[in-house]
Amino acid sequence: MDPRRAETGKNSDQIQSGHVYHLALDIGGSLAKLVYFTKNDEHIVGSEKKKSPMKASGISNSSRNSPVLNGRLNFKKFETSKINDCLEFINSMKLHLGGCQQPESPGSQTITIKATGGGAYKYADLFKEKFRISLDKEDEMDCLVAGANFLLETIHQEAFTYMGNQKQFVWIDKNDLYPYLLVNIGSGVGMIKVEGDGKFERVSGTSIGGGTFWGLGKLLTKCKSFDELLDLSYRGNNRAVDMLVGDIYGGMDYSKIGLSSTTIASSFGRAISENKERDDYKPEDIARSLLRMISNNIGQISYLTALRFGLKRIFFGGFFIRRHPFTMDTLSVAVNFWSKGEAKAMFLQHEGFLGAVGAFMSSDKHGLKELLANQKVERPPSKLSFSLDQTQVPQQDGELNGDESIECSVYGA
Amino acid sequence: MATKGSNSIHRSSSRPLLDLSKAEIQGNVEEKYPTILLPNQSDDLSHLALDIGGSLIKLVYFSRHEDQSTNDKRMKILKDKLGILNGNRRSYPILGGRLHFVKFETNKINECLEFIYSKKLHCGGWESHHSDSTNDQNAVIKATGGGAFKFADLFKERLGISLDKEDEMDCLVAGANFLLKAIRHEAYTHMEGQKEFIQIDPNDLFPYLLVNIGSGVSMIKVDGNGKFERVSGTNVGGGTYWGLGRLLTNCSSFDELLELSQKGDNRTTDMLVGDIYGTDYPKIGLSASTIASSFGKATLENKELEEYRPEDISLSLLRMISYNIGQISYLNALRFGLKRIFFGGFFIRGHAYTMDAISFAVHFWSKGTAQAMFLRHEGFLGALGAFMSYEKHGLDDLMVHQFVERFPMGAPYTGGKIHGPPLRNLNEKISWMEKFLQKGTEITAPVPMTPPGTTGLGGFEVPLSKGSTLRSDASALNVGVLHLIPTLEVFPLLVDPKMYEPNTVDLSDHSELEYWLTILSEHLPDLVDKAVASEGGTDDSKRRGDAFARAFSAHLARLMEEPAAYGKLGLANLLEMREECLREFQFVDAYRSIKQRENEASLAVLHDLLMELDSLDEETRLLTLIEGVLAANIFDWGSRACVDLYHKGTIIEIYRMSRNKMQRPWRVDDFDAFKERMLGSGDKKPLPHGRALLFVDNSGADIVLGMLPLARELLRRGTEVVLVGNSLPALNDVTAMELPDIVAEAAKHCDILRRAAESGGLLVDAMTNTLDGSKEKLPSVALMVVENGCGSPCIDFRQVSSELAAAAKDADLIILEGMGRSLHTNLYAQFKCDALKLAMVKNQRLAEKLVQGNIYDCVCKYEPAY
């Protein structure tokens, strides 16, 4: 393996306020996502060591300078309903000071950070009031696409398929990446046809998304969190509430039209029984059925949309997936089923953070420049780009949905 | 229940009770048609099919019309004249009859069994009275739906019939294909609360996407009869709505849940774009009220389920599912290049909001290039398909023009709603009407629909929570009885039958509809008086008169609330409905005595009129004749103004007064062009027409002093004349049955008429010679009578009798007379032969609207062959 692979891991404890230089936010309907940069202490700026083999950064190798900065990209998320926790976190980590010109006089001046997602509008006042942070709003979809393009182009093992508990990384030639369909499953679902950097169009979508899963799940079970609901679904059996083809045709396949007896004929179609109340159904089963219903539906509409626009790849992202194996599996099965095996669903390692990464990329890296200036770099670069030097080491499956960080380098141009 | 003992009692009745309206439609149009019964077929002809679903049982059954052969001499001569050979006449492989649609709740399957039993539908055919009990045991009934398996034993045990199970999807497609091809205006769009009926060219129907929304959703690509493939579907369907709805609310029925949605506001449960952005997201064209995430709002709040209104939850669910189905359907249609998408299945139930939501989704995602369509008989697709699966029904090739849909009282209820025990006879029906009256407003003031324009903005905006109740099965309710009249044909002289629209007045305009409904309401008491008097004013007739008034008022009220209740509505349909309603309550001919009196009075002065005419030169005579037709057209009991006139003078006085008032130019005056065609100009004498069809209107002066003299003039000029009369009475219109007598009476005064009538077989008694052909008489062109196939004051040229169609083959002139046939309908109709439309406008509004004139203005519209 490449000796210079990134060390990713939960590292929030290690964060020192003084090391945080750059931050972007994606505040969605359900979750607020943070991406921020921390400088590595051990790295000497401008060091010639560890010349990146990274073929896939956005900048041609010939003009590539040595990294001007090495550090980590950190990912963190909060439930939007607990936006105060997020604010507290930002405050406690002094993240917002990273870009401040006068860190010695915190709070004396309004600073600006990049943000996207609907919440960037909604909570703008709150940020301003509490911490004098002015949110510079970036278009959500721009960010999403920029984030996905960046990750797919630069991270070696960003995309993978997931079928029958088999996770398989897919190497994608960055020259053969476009066009693709990006399905972002947040509260709702946006389907975006991406043809290149900054070239994209929202071609479809559906209102049946993560918010539906969590919203309905909350009403139907007593779950307190999205994750709890997901956990429940893992243990459930949808047969109790779904009407299967076998239920209709007496346990036999309806082979005439190619439906097996376990195919869901009608989600929740069995919950119409007169002598059963809600409490008579196991919350696990309900959660499972919900998850299957929603995943299936998204998979189907995505496939039909990709077909319509002749897109050969479908990437699924957004917080709904959370790299939850069962969710990915259902989406994959749906795409596989409807495409008769022609198409495969692909997922992104950093699916929940596309918007935040995009917002991060969109910034002028102001704070970093300040940092560089302070570090007395001989030749302060006019433009900075990021490269993730290392191939990603996959974590335990499905566990990359929390806080993590990736080692990376900043290059000047 | 059905024991053998009681069976025999039922069988002893002379014929099975087939339909509510059966008994009273004696002498009905369709029953006079010579239906040809293939000798071995009747016992095989199956007549009942079932679709037993999880919640509803749908029945489709066929009741045959009485087999009557009309072999009188007149008909024989007529057939000779018109070139219709008895044997060679298109032999109709099927029998005329009626197709009935009835629903029962599956959990009340006993009602269904009783219904079948009481109507003897289980007895293996309409000829049940001569089948014996062993036959009953062998009866096999086609059935589909899951219940066809589940209840097979029950049917065997209780009715002694075996259910022959047909594949569900086969049935669905067969049913849809049949409806789309054979029923006019079966399909409609539903956008923002507005229904619009679509006529689909049967030759341009395939391929289409059929989306059947049951518990789950199947999407079927249909390429032709029996050629289809299930290409897609979704597991998010009606079962999901009901299942989730049940878990989330305490509703005890699907309909209850649906009803709740009407009062819902999904903003409390759905996350809207505005909730996320606080504003629109114009960059991608999403407005603040767009649903970003169904039920997403629930994630933002710490509220318990009980804190949400069930109404809001129901609406949110309904939108989520409808919208999703619309989207996936559109994507599939696009994928397979299908231009039409039809939605059916129990989930829709004619529920306006559901249809709007689906329509919106299709419209939204297709950017307006595709439209969702719905079927009026959607609930019956499976049952109809099962019916079609009988091998010998002979219905495969039925054409649109062979069906007439009627809405007898009870049909809106039997056809849609589940009702109690079947009404066996008129008496029960009247009692039932009376009961309804006692229940107050239920029937006369139908449940208000959400006003147009408020249910829609399809799936995005929130509906007004106005209507306190919802007619969830609004359109499913409006399935009438389909009268199959195999002998009906399209009038061959129409220039473009596909583009032809009989109605001149568009009743989709609400004020227009209101006006005509008011006219009909105001006219009702007078009509009831006439009807009761025509039956001698007996207590029985009074009771029937009351029931008729109630029934017809209920129809009118219903239409006021929902103009599309009975399908596409035109003035002609409205007028026909009134006549049908009268017949339903056994008023065979409400104006019988009036017509007789007026005919007699007119015939008495005919001789003088003819003398007067004969003294005129040709040109003056022609003008006087046309004047006479227009003047005599004033005798119209359908016109309020004219009814008032009658009280002021005798028929002859009015006629003379009316004629004296005839000042040219008339409001529409093409007389000179007509005269030119008839008489030519200068020395050029044009050839006379070969055959003229005269569509006559009213009895009395109108026919006797107006049209007959005109017919006589044509005959004199060597033109064969065919008088076209109504098949069934309508107001004081003269019927084809009455015409021969009137002609015979007139012939006593006129040799021309007599000889022509003899030649045309109208004077049967004096005609033995002609029949033998042994003695050559003076060659005379014939005067004939045919019926038009209608029982309405208007005429729809898409559906005329085969006699008329045959007579039209050699005709080169048609004359339409009267408001009903030349103004209300056909004012703009174009014909392949010369056409003269004559009418006096006896309605101020119509005069203003159609001819920018006034009441009593005249229309003489002549159009040479197109």
Side-chain angles (χ1 to χ4, degrees):
Chain A
M1 289 280 268
D2 190 323
R4 285 158 297 193
R5 77 184 61 139
E7 295 141 37
T8 55
K10 304 202 174 200
N11 65 341
S12 55
D13 291 343
Q14 305 156 17
I15 294 175
Q16 300 302 308
S17 58
H19 298 154
V20 176
Y21 295 100
H22 192 55
L23 165 71
L25 273 170
D26 173 9
I27 312 176
S30 312
L31 291 174
K33 279 82 67 176
L34 269 65
V35 171
Y36 56 90
F37 180 81
T38 49
K39 184 173 77 77
N40 281 357
D41 284 338
E42 66 270 29
H43 284 157
I44 314 292
V45 175
S47 137
E48 287 294 320
K49 71 168 187 172
K50 295 185 182 175
K51 175 111 184 174
S52 170
M54 195 60 177
K55 23 335 156 174
S57 77
I59 299 158
S60 73
N61 274 327
S62 57
S63 69
R64 160 72 50 85
N65 290 323
S66 331
V68 290
L69 203 57
N70 288 321
R72 285 171 178 273
L73 269 183
N74 300 275
F75 303 86
K76 189 157 181 68
K77 66 182 161 48
F78 297 87
E79 285 184 31
T80 304
S81 58
K82 297 172 184 161
I83 191 75
N84 279 326
D85 292 357
C86 176
L87 281 163
E88 283 306 323
F89 177 79
I90 294 173
N91 191 37
S92 72
M93 294 304 156
K94 307 257 186 306
L95 290 172
H96 60 289
L97 300 181
C100 183
Q101 281 185 301
Q102 288 134 313
E104 66 275 8
S105 56
S108 63
Q109 172 182 354
T110 301
I111 55 151
T112 300
I113 58 177
K114 291 286 181 186
T116 186
Y121 295 81
K122 198 168 171 182
Y123 297 107
D125 291 347
L126 187 67
F127 275 83
K128 195 142 213 159
E129 254 168 53
K130 276 207 159 170
F131 300 115
R132 292 174 164 250
I133 297 173
S134 162
L135 296 182
D136 185 13
K137 290 123 197 150
E138 286 292 317
D139 179 78
E140 192 173 8
M141 214 162 295
D142 289 345
C143 290
L144 207 61
V145 174
N149 283 352
F150 172 77
L151 292 167
L152 285 167
E153 283 188 5
T154 53
I155 300 188
H156 187 49
Q157 292 194 336
E158 179 63 23
F160 61 93
T161 59
Y162 196 96
M163 274 277 263
N165 282 325
Q166 289 293 313
K167 178 175 180 177
Q168 204 164 14
F169 282 99
V170 179
W171 183 79
I172 290 164
D173 179 356
K174 90 180 250 275
N175 298 316
D176 188 31
L177 173 61
Y178 306 105
Y180 66 86
L181 186 70
L182 179 62
V183 179
N184 182 51
I185 314 177
S187 298
V189 183
M191 298 179 189
I192 305 159
K193 181 176 112 183
V194 183
E195 292 179 299
D197 269 332
K199 279 179 65 184
F200 63 89
E201 184 190 357
R202 182 186 192 272
V203 289
S204 194
T206 163
S207 68
I208 306 180
T212 314
F213 174 62
W214 177 209
L216 276 174
K218 207 167 151 184
L219 297 179
L220 289 166
T221 70
K222 301 270 182 260
C223 281
K224 290 283 174 281
S225 76
F226 184 90
D227 290 318
E228 190 186 339
L229 185 65
L230 270 180
D231 285 346
L232 271 188
S233 75
Y234 204 65
R235 305 196 298 268
N237 184 345
N238 67 307
R239 279 170 186 243
V241 282
D242 286 348
M243 185 187 285
L244 307 184
V245 168
D247 292 333
I248 302 177
Y249 295 95
M252 287 148 53
D253 291 0
Y254 193 25
S255 50
K256 186 181 173 189
I257 51 173
L259 296 181
S260 85
S261 62
T262 53
T263 305
I264 301 173
S266 171
S267 290
F268 289 91
R270 275 183 95 165
I272 62 170
S273 159
E274 276 176 28
N275 41 28
K276 278 178 112 174
E277 296 301 319
R278 185 169 64 249
D279 295 340
D280 298 327
Y281 296 95
K282 286 165 68 186
E284 290 87 342
D285 298 345
I286 286 175
R288 177 92 166 193
S289 175
L290 260 184
L291 186 65
R292 285 202 63 171
M293 171 178 100
I294 290 163
S295 304
N296 229 337
N297 197 60
I298 294 171
Q300 181 180 14
I301 295 180
S302 302
Y303 168 67
L304 287 170
T305 303
L307 195 71
R308 175 180 182 186
F309 295 100
L311 310 174
K312 49 188 174 179
R313 293 200 188 90
I314 310 173
F315 296 103
F316 290 90
F319 86 86
F320 171 69
I321 297 171
R322 301 212 167 172
R323 304 203 16 228
H324 188 281
F326 186 57
T327 315
M328 292 190 290
D329 203 56
T330 353
L331 282 169
S332 300
V333 167
V335 171
N336 187 60
F337 176 81
W338 292 111
S339 71
K340 297 195 169 80
E342 298 274 304
K344 279 193 168 55
M346 285 192 271
F347 305 91
L348 299 171
Q349 286 286 99
H350 297 89
E351 25 81 359
F353 292 92
L354 297 184
V357 170
F360 186 85
M361 293 302 149
S362 73
S363 70
D364 56 5
K365 287 97 179 171
H366 180 75
L368 293 176
K369 281 186 197 160
E370 283 304 319
L371 172 68
L372 292 174
N374 292 342
Q375 303 268 334
K376 296 184 177 60
V377 176
E378 312 83 40
R379 188 171 48 81
S382 60
K383 191 177 169 198
L384 292 175
S385 67
F386 281 85
S387 176
L388 308 183
D389 287 336
Q390 296 87 12
T391 51
Q392 179 85 37
V393 174
Q395 300 254 305
Q396 306 282 79
D397 265 353
E399 292 307 314
L400 197 69
N401 52 13
D403 310 327
E404 61 161 306
S405 65
I406 309 173
E407 201 158 310
C408 66
S409 304
V410 179
Y411 293 89
Chain B
M1 253 329 274
T3 65
K4 281 192 179 183
S6 60
N7 249 352
S8 61
I9 295 167
H10 279 265
R11 255 198 316 279
S12 68
S13 66
S14 62
R15 58 187 166 85
L17 291 159
L18 289 173
D19 171 49
L20 306 166
S21 49
K22 183 78 189 178
E24 56 270 30
I25 310 190
Q26 295 292 348
N28 199 343
V29 46
E30 54 271 25
E31 300 184 311
K32 282 179 21 189
Y33 284 107
T35 47
I36 294 166
L37 182 58
L38 303 181
N40 298 325
Q41 205 172 22
S42 68
D43 285 333
D44 294 332
L45 266 172
S46 301
H47 60 305
L48 167 69
L50 297 162
D51 176 5
I52 311 177
S55 52
L56 293 174
I57 302 177
K58 278 81 70 177
L59 262 72
V60 169
Y61 70 94
F62 191 75
S63 61
R64 208 196 68 191
H65 292 142
E66 289 296 279
D67 182 28
Q68 278 187 4
S69 35
T70 46
N71 259 334
D72 59 54
K73 288 176 179 173
R74 182 184 73 81
M75 279 304 294
K76 220 168 175 180
I77 292 176
L78 184 67
K79 282 174 182 168
D80 287 345
K81 283 280 171 194
L82 298 178
I84 310 169
L85 294 174
N86 228 350
N88 191 21
R89 181 171 184 175
R90 181 140 67 85
S91 60
Y92 301 101
I94 36 162
L95 302 158
R98 298 180 197 139
L99 214 43
H100 302 253
F101 302 86
V102 188
K103 272 186 205 171
F104 295 90
E105 282 179 34
T106 305
N107 57 22
K108 292 177 186 160
I109 192 161
N110 275 335
E111 281 184 11
C112 174
L113 294 170
E114 272 164 36
F115 182 87
I116 293 172
Y117 184 75
S118 75
K119 293 204 175 285
K120 295 210 158 206
L121 300 175
H122 60 300
C123 297
W126 22 68
E127 303 290 283
S128 56
H129 45 290
H130 60 62
S131 64
D132 59 19
S133 57
T134 52
N135 265 1
D136 292 355
Q137 301 306 317
N138 293 334
V140 173
I141 300 294
K142 295 279 187 187
T144 186
F149 296 85
K150 195 169 167 187
F151 296 109
D153 291 346
L154 188 65
F155 273 82
K156 185 87 197 166
E157 187 185 308
R158 302 281 284 274
L159 297 173
I161 55 180
S162 314
L163 298 182
D164 185 13
K165 290 119 197 155
E166 290 291 317
D167 179 81
E168 222 166 320
M169 211 163 293
D170 289 345
C171 289
L172 210 61
V173 173
N177 281 348
F178 170 75
L179 287 168
L180 287 167
K181 279 166 80 174
I183 310 299
R184 178 166 292 136
H185 297 130
E186 172 66 21
Y188 61 92
T189 59
H190 199 287
M191 290 282 274
E192 301 185 9
Q194 294 289 353
K195 256 186 205 167
E196 196 181 318
F197 291 93
I198 309 278
Q199 185 53 48
I200 288 158
D201 181 353
N203 299 317
D204 187 31
L205 170 62
F206 305 111
Y208 65 85
L209 188 70
L210 179 63
V211 180
N212 184 52
I213 313 176
S215 297
V217 183
S218 284
M219 298 177 189
I220 306 162
K221 176 176 158 238
V222 183
D223 290 309
N225 282 329
K227 281 176 63 185
F228 62 90
E229 185 190 356
R230 183 185 190 275
V231 289
S232 193
T234 161
N235 48 307
V236 185
T240 312
Y241 176 60
W242 177 211
L244 275 174
R246 236 192 83 78
L247 295 178
L248 292 164
T249 70
N250 288 319
C251 282
S252 54
S253 78
F254 183 90
D255 286 324
E256 189 188 337
L257 183 67
L258 206 51
E259 208 162 298
L260 277 183
S261 73
Q262 195 77 354
K263 290 172 270 174
D265 176 353
N266 68 314
R267 284 174 297 188
T268 62
T269 44
D270 287 345
M271 185 190 286
L272 307 185
V273 166
D275 292 328
I276 304 177
Y277 294 94
T279 169
D280 292 359
Y281 191 14
K283 183 178 177 186
I284 52 174
L286 298 180
S287 80
S289 58
T290 305
I291 302 174
S293 171
S294 294
F295 288 93
K297 192 72 128 290
T299 66
L300 304 179
E301 303 167 319
N302 276 319
K303 275 160 79 176
E304 296 290 318
L305 176 58
E306 289 69 27
E307 295 172 65
Y308 291 92
R309 293 170 68 225
E311 291 88 345
D312 300 347
I313 289 176
S314 177
L315 179 62
S316 185
L317 268 180
L318 184 64
R319 291 181 147 197
M320 171 177 103
I321 292 166
S322 305
Y323 198 70
N324 194 59
I325 293 171
Q327 182 178 13
I328 296 179
S329 302
Y330 168 66
L331 286 170
N332 276 298
L334 195 72
R335 175 178 182 188
F336 294 102
L338 310 174
K339 50 187 171 178
R340 296 200 185 90
I341 312 175
F342 297 102
F343 291 86
F346 88 87
F347 176 64
I348 295 174
R349 296 204 178 184
H351 183 219
Y353 192 75
T354 311
M355 292 191 283
D356 271 0
I358 292 173
S359 298
F360 181 85
V362 171
H363 185 86
F364 178 85
W365 292 111
S366 71
K367 297 195 169 78
T369 60
Q371 270 188 323
M373 285 191 264
F374 305 90
L375 301 176
R376 285 188 51 228
H377 291 85
E378 45 97 350
F380 291 95
L381 292 185
L384 253 179
F387 188 85
M388 300 302 292
S389 70
Y390 285 112
E391 275 173 28
K392 289 185 180 174
H393 56 69
L395 297 177
D396 286 332
D397 300 319
L398 283 184
M399 307 291 278
V400 172
H401 59 257
Q402 293 170 317
F403 277 103
V404 179
E405 189 172 18
R406 301 222 165 101
F407 296 86
M409 217 50 208
Y413 305 92
T414 56
K417 222 165 201 165
I418 299 102
H419 68 103
L423 303 174
R424 283 154 204 274
N425 55 35
L426 182 68
N427 196 41
E428 283 185 10
K429 193 194 302 196
I430 295 172
S431 313
W432 180 74
M433 288 302 305
E434 288 164 350
K435 231 182 289 165
F436 256 110
L437 191 74
Q438 285 160 11
K439 285 176 89 180
T441 56
E442 196 161 332
I443 191 165
T444 46
V447 180
M449 290 290 292
T450 313
T454 56
T455 54
L457 310 178
F460 274 165
E461 302 305 327
V462 178
L464 290 186
S465 23
K466 260 192 182 167
S468 55
T469 338
L470 155 86
R471 181 183 290 133
S472 62
D473 50 355
S475 79
L477 220 96
N478 313 319
V479 175
V481 175
L482 284 178
H483 290 233
L484 167 58
I485 309 168
T487 52
L488 285 183
E489 290 180 29
V490 178
F491 190 62
L493 292 173
L494 281 177
V495 168
D496 186 355
K498 271 182 201 160
M499 296 302 293
Y500 170 78
E501 164 62 49
N503 286 291
T504 307
V505 178
D506 184 5
L507 290 187
S508 60
D509 178 295
H510 198 74
S511 66
E512 198 68 43
L513 176 68
E514 197 171 339
Y515 172 79
W516 288 105
L517 291 179
T518 309
I519 290 267
L520 290 179
S521 298
E522 285 173 352
H523 189 250
L524 192 56
D526 188 61
L527 179 59
V528 172
D529 286 351
K530 291 281 181 303
V532 172
S534 76
E535 308 255 326
T538 59
D539 285 349
D540 169 65
S541 64
K542 281 178 188 154
R543 191 161 165 251
R544 282 188 284 130
D546 285 348
F548 157 72
R550 274 174 217 133
F552 189 57
S553 303
H555 280 307
L556 294 182
R558 183 68 204 282
L559 286 167
M560 198 60 213
E561 289 300 331
E562 203 199 341
Y566 301 134
K568 189 171 180 174
L569 184 67
L571 190 51
N573 312 74
L574 210 50
L575 295 175
E576 177 160 21
M577 175 174 276
R578 178 177 62 185
E579 301 302 327
E580 276 303 316
C581 199
L582 272 173
R583 285 189 270 276
E584 200 185 339
F585 290 92
Q586 283 187 13
F587 291 106
V588 176
D589 190 353
Y591 287 83
R592 182 163 42 198
S593 50
I594 292 172
K595 289 195 289 187
Q596 233 157 32
R597 206 172 59 225
E598 293 190 356
N599 285 341
E600 282 162 17
S602 306
L603 283 163
V605 297
L606 176 64
H607 182 68
D608 294 343
L609 177 67
L610 295 181
M611 296 281 279
E612 184 188 332
L613 285 167
D614 288 344
S615 68
L616 302 170
D617 66 79
E618 201 174 37
E619 205 174 315
T620 319
R621 195 165 66 224
L622 188 62
L623 177 62
T624 311
L625 281 165
I626 299 299
E627 274 177 3
V629 170
L630 292 170
N633 192 231
I634 200 167
F635 297 97
D636 186 346
W637 284 90
S639 158
R640 183 91 214 159
C642 296
V643 172
D644 291 344
L645 264 186
Y646 294 149
H647 300 298
K648 294 175 188 150
T650 70
I651 176 169
I652 301 306
E653 283 165 4
I654 298 168
Y655 172 63
R656 293 209 190 283
M657 179 200 76
S658 173
R659 231 181 89 180
N660 290 337
K661 279 192 178 171
M662 286 294 128
Q663 297 289 331
R664 284 191 70 197
W666 299 309
R667 192 63 216 166
V668 176
D669 192 341
D670 298 335
F671 176 74
D672 292 337
F674 179 63
K675 188 180 78 182
E676 165 105 24
R677 168 63 187 88
M678 296 293 284
L679 309 177
S681 52
D683 292 339
K684 278 177 68 184
K685 287 284 169 197
L687 277 177
H689 289 99
R691 179 187 287 169
L693 303 181
L694 272 57
F695 291 80
V696 299
D697 188 11
N698 305 307
S699 299
D702 200 1
I703 173 69
V704 177
L705 306 179
M707 289 302 268
L708 268 186
L710 181 61
R712 175 174 174 262
E713 181 70 17
L714 289 162
L715 291 165
R716 177 143 76 182
R717 300 171 51 78
T719 302
E720 214 174 29
V721 173
V722 181
L723 297 174
V724 186
N726 256 18
S727 296
L728 289 175
L731 293 167
N732 63 328
D733 289 4
V734 62
T735 66
M737 297 270 278
E738 294 158 353
L739 277 169
D741 288 343
I742 294 171
V743 171
E745 199 58 36
K748 289 179 183 166
H749 306 283
C750 169
D751 200 44
I752 300 171
L753 286 175
R754 184 178 55 76
R755 280 188 291 125
E758 280 175 6
S759 169
L762 288 175
L763 300 177
V764 180
D765 296 338
M767 270 190 1
T768 35
N769 294 338
T770 318
L771 273 181
D772 309 336
S774 59
K775 185 180 163 192
E776 199 56 49
K777 294 200 63 161
L778 274 175
S780 169
V781 287
L783 174 63
M784 291 170 279
V785 169
V786 299
E787 59 180 340
N788 58 14
C790 305
S792 137
C794 300
I795 187 165
D796 179 345
F797 278 111
R798 292 172 302 201
Q799 300 185 295
V800 301
S801 72
S802 52
E803 279 177 30
L804 173 54
K809 296 241 163 68
D810 295 320
D812 48 5
L813 172 66
I814 67 177
I815 300 179
L816 294 169
E817 189 230 352
M819 288 217 297
R821 293 170 192 85
S822 67
L823 293 184
H824 292 155
T825 54
N826 304 310
L827 181 60
Y828 307 124
Q830 298 177 346
F831 297 95
K832 291 181 197 161
C833 65
D834 296 345
L836 183 65
K837 297 165 185 173
L838 298 170
M840 177 188 273
V841 193
K842 286 150 288 188
N843 172 293
Q844 180 65 26
R845 183 184 174 102
L846 205 65
E848 288 169 23
K849 192 180 171 85
L850 297 183
V851 296
Q852 291 79 46
N854 286 305
I855 187 165
Y856 303 129
D857 274 350
C858 288
V859 172
C860 171
K861 192 176 182 196
Y862 174 71
E863 293 154 315
Y866 274 87

